[in-house]
Amino acid sequence: MAEFNNILTEVKEGVLYLTVNREDKMNALNFDTLEELKAIFDEVADSKSIKGVIITGAGERAFVAGADISEIAELNEVNARKFAENGQEIFSMIENLHKPVIAVTNGFTLGGGCELAMACHMRIASANAKFGQPEVNLGIIPGYGGTQRLTILIGRGKANELMMTGEMIDANEALTLGLVNHVLPTKADAISKAEEIIEKIISKAPLAIGMIIDCVNAAFLSDENGFQTEANCFARCVKSGDYKEGTTAFLEKRKPNFRGE
Ligand code: COA
């Protein structure tokens, strides 16, 4: 994978470790960082060797403390719409990727950082993580999908409260609300938990994992019948070699050897 200015990448045992690396700016997402994210996820989608992604922020203080406010301060009505649509498109790429993406959030996970974490398929937090959508303090609203994904994840009342007050919540409250899957004492523990989960996932049939992602996402699309999507995806799985392998291995009382075909 190419080198990037604002993002560190490392592939270990089929997992891409992606670290947003602007520690002096609390890993805030500027335009260049978003473009780098897009380039990376384009490559991950086509890669045969990368089977899953763990996203973190550099250092101990922040996952990502939002979009870069120095760039937000320069927006006008025309480019603001494009700014939001561009971020939404990149985060949708992550949400729709046919490989598991887990956010490990430590410290400030705010604004676009919370939106990035919510676009991932799961979130694991360290105990010091703090979540919020503080855009209202700047006279704006979340623009990278946060109004939608937060509502889906934690429900209308709590989403309204968080976005309208701009207040932060801690990791345990995020766990109670269903915003994160697990809370671990430290960032290192949270990364280990993410590794444990992602290793399990990538040992399964890759096509089936991609189909689960499509079906779960379909549950939140008003113009799609999720039950029909499920039936179609189920049928696609049955056409795969991994389906033959999985069922045969069960009947032969052995472990399946999935090949992603
Ligand atoms: N965009 C750009 N720069 C940011 C940033 C953001 N979203 N969040 C933090 N930074 C920068 C600060 O400007 C500061 O830079 P400087 O050292 O060059 O002045 C540096 O990161 C450290 O932040 P600082 O505010 O000094 O740390 P703190 O511990 O006092 O506060 C936060 C941390 C996260 C609470 C505070 O930085 C903050 O409120 N950030 C903005 C959060 C936000 O509104 N996000 C949504 C944006 S749409």
Side-chain angles (χ1 to χ4, degrees):
M1 181 161 281
E3 297 236 322
F4 296 93
N5 292 329
N6 304 298
I7 296 180
L8 302 174
T9 59
E10 187 185 2
V11 181
K12 279 190 282 178
E13 292 172 28
V15 177
L16 171 68
Y17 292 75
L18 184 164
T19 306
V20 181
N21 188 32
R22 300 185 72 220
E23 205 176 334
D24 57 333
K25 295 291 174 197
M26 298 269 179
N27 303 321
L29 295 176
N30 60 3
F31 183 74
D32 289 346
T33 309
L34 275 185
E35 288 306 296
E36 290 178 11
L37 267 181
K38 184 173 191 298
I40 290 168
F41 276 96
D42 267 335
E43 195 173 330
V44 171
D46 292 337
S47 169
K48 290 233 176 305
S49 54
I50 299 171
K51 300 177 190 325
V53 183
I54 293 177
I55 305 185
T56 59
E60 291 298 325
R61 295 191 65 204
F63 171 66
V64 166
D68 193 310
I69 296 173
S70 64
E71 292 182 351
I72 288 180
E74 302 296 323
L75 292 174
N76 60 44
E77 192 182 341
V78 176
N79 61 24
R81 186 170 293 110
K82 289 207 175 101
F83 173 94
E85 287 169 350
N86 181 50
Q88 288 178 4
E89 191 188 315
I90 296 166
F91 286 10
S92 287
M93 277 173 74
I94 298 174
E95 185 170 62
N96 292 313
L97 188 78
H98 276 185
K99 302 174 182 184
V101 185
I102 302 184
V104 170
T105 71
N106 62 296
F108 295 109
T109 303
L110 302 176
C114 191
E115 291 173 298
L116 172 60
M118 291 192 292
C120 297
H121 302 123
M122 291 161 222
R123 290 145 290 284
I124 317 279
S126 63
N128 78 343
K130 287 203 179 332
F131 297 83
Q133 296 290 161
E135 288 85 352
V136 74
N137 297 327
L138 304 170
I140 52 174
I141 65 170
Y144 291 167
T147 60
Q148 305 303 295
R149 291 196 180 95
L150 188 65
T151 307
I152 287 167
L153 275 166
I154 69 171
R156 187 194 297 225
K158 279 291 178 183
N160 271 330
E161 183 180 336
L162 267 188
M163 288 187 281
M164 289 186 193
T165 63
E167 299 246 303
M168 292 184 222
I169 55 171
D170 65 19
N172 282 328
E173 189 168 356
L175 183 67
T176 307
L177 291 174
L179 183 52
V180 301
N181 294 40
H182 302 277
V183 177
L184 281 296
T186 68
K187 181 181 178 185
D189 297 328
I191 290 175
S192 299
K193 183 72 185 171
E195 286 171 334
E196 181 193 316
I197 294 174
I198 216 160
E199 273 164 25
K200 263 185 212 155
I201 296 171
I202 67 183
S203 74
K204 314 291 179 196
L207 182 77
I209 298 300
M211 295 299 95
I212 289 170
I213 289 169
D214 281 355
C215 292
V216 170
N217 289 343
F220 302 103
L221 297 173
S222 56
D223 59 347
E224 196 166 324
N225 178 338
F227 288 96
Q228 192 56 55
T229 304
E230 183 183 272
N232 295 343
C233 289
F234 187 82
R236 276 187 67 192
C237 289
V238 165
K239 281 196 338 201
S240 71
D242 283 344
Y243 157 73
K244 279 258 166 311
E245 169 62 9
T247 49
T248 306
F250 179 83
L251 295 173
E252 292 176 355
K253 301 191 187 304
R254 62 173 173 81
K255 272 194 154 190
N257 177 22
F258 293 122
R259 307 162 68 91
E261 290 163 1

